[in-house]
Every structure is written in structure tokens, then in C-alpha cells.
Amino acid sequence: MEADVSQNHNEEEEEEPVDADCFQVVRTKMIQPTSLKDPRVEKLKEALLDWINSTLKAEHIVVQSLDEDLYDGLVLHHLLARLAGVRLSLEEIALTSSAQIRKLQAVLEELDKRLDQSDTKWDVSRIHKKDLLATLHLLVAMVRCFQPELVLPSNVNVQVVVMEVRRKGMRSDVQTEVLTGDSTNVENLSCTDGGVNPVEQLLKLGAHKVAVVKQALVDFVNKSLASLGLHVSDVDKQFSDGVILMLLIGQLEGFFIPLCDFSLIPVNNEQMLHNVTFALSLLTHAGLHVSSVQPQDVVARDVAATLKVLYALFCKHARQEEKTSVVFL
């Protein structure tokens, strides 16, 4: 028996060993140069650049290139702090490659917790290597999460070259990858092909559908203000003096607003305008940019202006609480 066992053991040792290198595959993806010239891709890059720069304007950070300016983690760290209120104990400027990677690792870990993507299309290595495709996917996901009311070009696709390098050869394939989809509901909030703001699109629909959305916004506002004992019944009128709007923003964003900073009982147009202007500045501070809304429009009870502000708050906070979506159809 011992001889048999020994013989079998020797036979096993004589089997040809498995070459692990045969199973190692290096897979890379890159955007085809022709796709980079697509007007939709150029518009998306421009929109994301504008978004980053407006978000970080108060910090005097200007990004000129998505390819070159995000790889070291500095900009992403500032975006994380501004949009999510998370400030990590990291060096401001990482000079060495290893320090940049450590910083990116920490920032992306925090972002990934909030973006909640089942299949992330970015990682530390790709962002650090200035991979534009990965960077675009990350930024679009950040917009969808932190500022869903922002209008991004819809139906943006790119042709991607996928290369697989194996020990025994190389294989390549061309695939279409989606950067932004086509939807006008609060789950995705992409713009229509004509670049129409969802609220403006809504107001072109029937009165019944407008009333349904208004009621959804009223319910959202009243639930948010319930702890203050306030109640809203008329979206068109009750926000024009800025008081309820500021209290709503304070409740949702966790701001303490001293009474000396605004007029609790405004008696003239100047005080109302001050209140609304201050309220919109709070929105900007919270990372919600409704640049198309002018304070005087809200004071003048412009329905579209008021709805855009409420819609921006609804999209951010109702989505985070996984409430029922309001669909603009």
C-alpha cells in the first residue's frame, strides 16, 4: 500500500504545472478619439467643468481640464467637503505619487459610501492615471447624487476601445458606453434634448399634472416644516417674502439662521428681496445651484422661479430619503 501511495504521489508531481500567467489578463478601456469630438461629449465636459467651478468658486479653485486637474485628489476632496460636508484630515497638496494615491483612496472611499453604485466605473488607479472615462463616470454620479436638479446633456454615449492583453496575445473590441441616459424624472433628472429645465417642461403640460406636482411639493414642504408648526397651502404666494423659504432651507440643510440675518416679518419689497437673496445664497452654500432663478422673480411670485427652488430641494432630500418619485410626463 505504501508503495502504491508513493507511486501515485510521484505521478502527481510529474504532472505539468499550471502556468498562472496564462490566466492573468490586463484589461484597459479608453475613449476613441472620434468620440471626444462629439458635440454631446463636449457639452457634457463643459457642463461638468462649470458645475465644479461654480461649486468651488468660494474657495477660489478653478478647474480647466477634467483630464489633468482631478487626478491628485485635491479638487475631489474639496467637492466632498462642499457637497457632503465631509472634511478629511488630509494634506492639502499631495506632491508625491504615493501621497496622491493615499489621498484619492480616502476621498473615493467616502464618495463611494454616498454614491451607492452597485457597479462603479472608476477606481483610485484609473482616476490617478487621468482616465477621462472613469473621471466622467464619477462626476456624473456625483451630480446625480448631490445636485440632481442640475441639467446635464442627455443621451451622451462614447465609443470605447476595450483591450485585453494576455500572455498569448492581445484582443481588442469596440463598445458603446453610456455616460448619461434619457429620463426626466427625479430618479435620473437628465435634460430633454432641447435643454429644457424640467420645471419649465412641467408648466407646458396640463393644469391637472401641474397641480399634482405642486401638491407633492406642498406635502414635502409641510412634512419638513412640521416641527416648526408651519403649514403651507399656496406654493405660488407663500414663498415670495423669503421667510418660509429660509426656514425650509435651514431645516433641510441643518443651518442655524440667526434672526438678525433676515426680516422675520418683512414689511416692504426691499426686505423681501433681501430675504430671498439670502435664501438663494444658502442654497449655493449647500451645493444647490439654481442659477436661472433671480431673487426678484421669487418676490414677484413667478411660479416657475418658486417651483425651481422647491424642486431642487425636493430632488436632493426626497431622493435621499427614498420617497416616491414625482415624474414629469
Side-chain angles (χ1 to χ4, degrees):
M1 289 290 293
E2 293 180 1
D4 291 340
V5 172
S6 176
Q7 182 179 359
N8 290 337
H9 179 66
N10 290 335
E11 288 177 355
E12 289 179 4
E13 286 184 338
E14 289 171 2
E15 288 182 3
E16 197 171 308
V18 176
D19 188 350
D21 288 342
C22 292
F23 295 96
Q24 292 181 356
V25 178
V26 179
R27 193 167 185 264
T28 59
K29 297 167 69 175
M30 61 178 294
I31 301 176
Q32 277 195 329
T34 52
S35 285
L36 294 175
K37 299 178 182 179
D38 186 322
R40 286 182 180 275
V41 175
E42 291 180 345
K43 287 181 180 179
L44 176 61
K45 290 174 65 178
E46 182 180 350
L48 292 172
L49 273 174
D50 289 344
W51 171 67
I52 293 172
N53 288 329
S54 62
T55 301
L56 301 181
K57 182 178 180 180
E59 300 179 44
H60 308 290
I61 293 176
V62 178
V63 173
Q64 296 181 332
S65 170
L66 299 180
D67 308 59
E68 299 292 334
D69 295 348
L70 275 69
Y71 76 98
D72 60 356
L74 186 148
V75 172
L76 291 174
H77 187 202
H78 279 270
L79 286 173
L80 175 67
R82 176 66 65 175
L83 298 171
V86 177
R87 297 186 180 276
L88 303 175
S89 299
L90 299 169
E91 53 190 319
E92 178 67 10
I93 300 177
L95 297 177
T96 67
S97 179
S98 58
Q100 292 164 359
I101 290 174
R102 286 195 301 271
K103 185 171 185 175
L104 269 176
Q105 181 73 44
V107 172
L108 288 182
E109 282 181 0
E110 291 297 326
L111 281 173
D112 288 344
K113 291 176 186 177
R114 289 155 179 79
L115 300 182
D116 192 25
Q117 298 280 313
S118 57
D119 180 24
T120 56
K121 297 179 179 179
W122 59 85
D123 56 39
V124 173
S125 176
R126 295 179 67 185
I127 298 297
H128 189 251
K129 290 178 180 177
K130 305 179 184 180
D131 185 315
L132 179 59
L133 181 62
T135 302
L136 289 174
H137 278 304
L138 172 60
L139 293 175
V140 169
M142 290 175 67
V143 170
R144 297 298 189 218
C145 176
F146 297 115
Q147 196 173 342
E149 82 288 351
L150 181 69
V151 174
L152 293 179
S154 61
N155 295 321
V156 180
N157 304 321
V158 289
Q159 296 298 306
V160 176
V161 179
V162 181
M163 298 184 63
E164 291 185 357
V165 181
R166 302 172 182 265
R167 185 179 181 185
K168 296 183 178 181
M170 184 175 65
R171 176 174 170 274
S172 64
D173 187 23
V174 178
Q175 301 175 358
T176 299
E177 193 150 332
V178 177
L179 293 175
T180 64
D182 181 19
S183 174
T184 54
N185 59 36
V186 295
E187 292 300 320
N188 215 329
L189 282 181
S190 58
C191 179
T192 61
D193 288 339
V196 182
N197 182 280
V199 170
E200 294 172 354
Q201 183 185 11
L202 166 69
L203 294 175
K204 296 177 182 179
L205 303 179
H208 172 69
K209 292 182 178 180
V210 174
V212 169
V213 175
K214 280 187 177 181
Q215 188 58 51
L217 292 175
V218 167
D219 293 342
F220 164 69
V221 170
N222 286 332
K223 182 175 181 178
S224 303
L225 295 177
S227 61
L228 299 180
L230 297 174
H231 181 80
V232 170
S233 58
D234 191 339
V235 172
D236 297 357
K237 298 178 181 179
Q238 287 183 263
F239 292 91
S240 62
D241 63 6
V243 176
I244 291 180
L245 181 57
M246 268 192 294
L247 296 175
L248 175 64
I249 295 170
Q251 285 293 101
L252 293 173
E253 298 293 340
F255 293 152
F256 171 73
I257 307 174
L259 292 178
C260 60
D261 286 346
F262 69 101
S263 300
L264 186 60
I265 307 177
V267 295
N268 55 43
N269 190 78
E270 182 180 355
Q271 291 178 342
M272 294 180 184
L273 187 61
H274 168 79
N275 283 354
V276 175
T277 301
F278 184 52
L280 294 182
S281 71
L282 291 178
L283 282 181
T284 300
H285 181 75
L288 288 170
H289 302 283
V290 282
S291 56
S292 61
V293 176
Q294 298 300 318
Q296 55 268 29
D297 293 335
V298 177
V299 174
R301 299 181 179 180
D302 182 287
V303 177
T306 304
L307 288 180
K308 286 177 183 178
V309 174
L310 297 180
Y311 178 69
L313 288 166
F314 175 86
C315 287
K316 178 179 179 181
H317 295 280
R319 184 184 183 189
Q320 289 177 349
E321 297 170 11
E322 296 183 349
K323 295 182 180 180
T324 303
S325 300
V326 176
V327 181
F328 294 93
L329 295 175

